Amino acid sequence: MPPRGKKPRTYDPVRIRTAVTAQFAHVCGAVAELGPEQLARPSGLGGWSVAELAGHIAWIADSLAGSLARPPAAVAELPAVEWPFATASLAGKISEAARETLTGAPLPELYDRAAARMAQALAANPGDRVLDLWIGDMTLADFLVTRTVELVVHTDDLNRAAGLDIPIDRQALAACTRLLADALALKAPGGSVEVRIPPFAVVQCIEGPRHTRGTPPNVVETDPLTWIRLATGRTQWAAALDEAHVRAGGERADLSALLPLMS
């Protein structure tokens, strides 16, 4: 739940659906052009190759359609902002499910199938439908916000591992940035540090003296992709500071003990 006294952030469901579809399409087009040498490269994610990472991204769309094919749950239990903290325990199960679902077909075929299934399922279901998920029952609208995180994070992974330049949809990037920023505020509630991720998010966090006006004494500022990499363990806090990708001022402006939020 959001910190006391603060309403949860809302997202435009139409824009989020469009963003998820657009980002998956961007990846689909790029994966179709990958050659054998690129597919065999290490992804930087455990023991996955680029081919396995690309297959996992196809599974993200395919599993969304699969979730919508199951009978709905009765009541949503997990809001989007709590989703990042619930993912770690299911990493192995998700990898195994993806492997079982996606073996035996070329990547372009897997992507075409997943895109078609996802589009058909989304067109047939309203945002208030409650999905029966391993991670906890969620509304479709909230779950789609989490899909922007998965797609943006793994698009960035794919770009770096395979030397690609897949575009990242602006709305997907905004939703991903905001959800992970709100998760930080949930993990360390307070008002002593202001975290700025222009142009998409500003949150306050960490207990301590609260500022009321003017420039706060403790400020962290970074760009969206650096923030996403920090929040998901792709970049370490010290390295981001050393490379000037993060600016942090004030005695409390050290987020290293709170990161990553998910991995």
Side-chain angles (χ1 to χ4, degrees):
M1 299 302 290
R4 183 181 300 175
K6 186 174 181 179
K7 293 181 179 179
R9 190 188 300 272
T10 58
Y11 297 85
D12 184 319
V14 174
R15 288 185 177 181
I16 295 298
R17 284 187 181 223
T18 300
V20 168
T21 302
Q23 192 57 46
F24 188 73
H26 289 326
V27 178
C28 184
V31 166
E33 301 298 321
L34 288 174
E37 184 275 331
Q38 289 171 299
L39 290 169
R41 291 180 190 177
S43 70
L45 303 178
W48 281 3
S49 65
V50 166
E52 288 168 319
L53 170 58
H56 178 76
I57 298 172
W59 179 82
I60 291 169
D62 194 76
S63 64
L64 172 58
S67 298
L68 287 167
R70 295 195 293 269
V75 179
E77 302 169 339
L78 186 69
V81 72
E82 293 183 14
W83 168 83
F85 310 119
T87 58
S89 64
L90 291 176
K93 189 174 183 179
I94 288 170
S95 294
E96 183 61 30
R99 193 176 300 113
E100 291 177 358
T101 302
L102 298 172
T103 53
L107 279 171
E109 182 180 326
L110 294 176
Y111 270 80
D112 287 346
R113 183 186 74 188
R117 289 191 69 207
M118 182 174 69
Q120 184 178 23
L122 288 177
N125 287 279
D128 60 356
R129 179 182 173 126
V130 180
L131 302 183
D132 176 13
L133 303 170
W134 294 334
I135 205 164
D137 298 342
M138 299 181 72
T139 65
L140 173 57
D142 271 2
F143 191 57
L144 284 174
V145 178
T146 74
R147 300 307 84 189
T148 68
V149 177
E150 291 277 11
L151 288 170
V152 168
V153 169
H154 287 316
T155 297
D156 184 46
D157 290 334
L158 200 56
N159 278 340
R160 291 189 288 165
L164 301 178
D165 190 23
I166 304 169
I168 296 179
D169 178 84
R170 179 179 172 84
Q171 186 61 46
L173 182 63
C176 175
T177 301
R178 290 164 181 159
L179 180 60
L180 293 174
D182 290 344
L184 173 67
L186 179 64
K187 184 175 183 178
S192 68
V193 179
E194 186 166 282
V195 179
R196 301 171 179 171
I197 313 158
F200 298 130
V202 178
V203 297
Q204 293 184 3
C205 60
I206 304 177
E207 291 183 349
R210 188 180 191 90
H211 76 275
T212 56
R213 60 184 176 179
T215 301
N218 301 282
V219 175
V220 173
E221 185 166 335
T222 189
D223 63 276
L225 268 183
T226 298
W227 166 242
I228 290 164
R229 291 169 185 170
L230 286 166
T232 59
R234 270 66 174 174
T235 295
Q236 299 302 306
W237 176 259
L241 282 176
D242 289 345
E243 295 165 7
H245 294 310
V246 170
R247 294 170 296 283
E251 61 181 15
R252 296 174 181 270
D254 182 349
L255 304 183
S256 58
L258 298 172
L259 299 171
L261 302 173
M262 61 181 296
S263 58

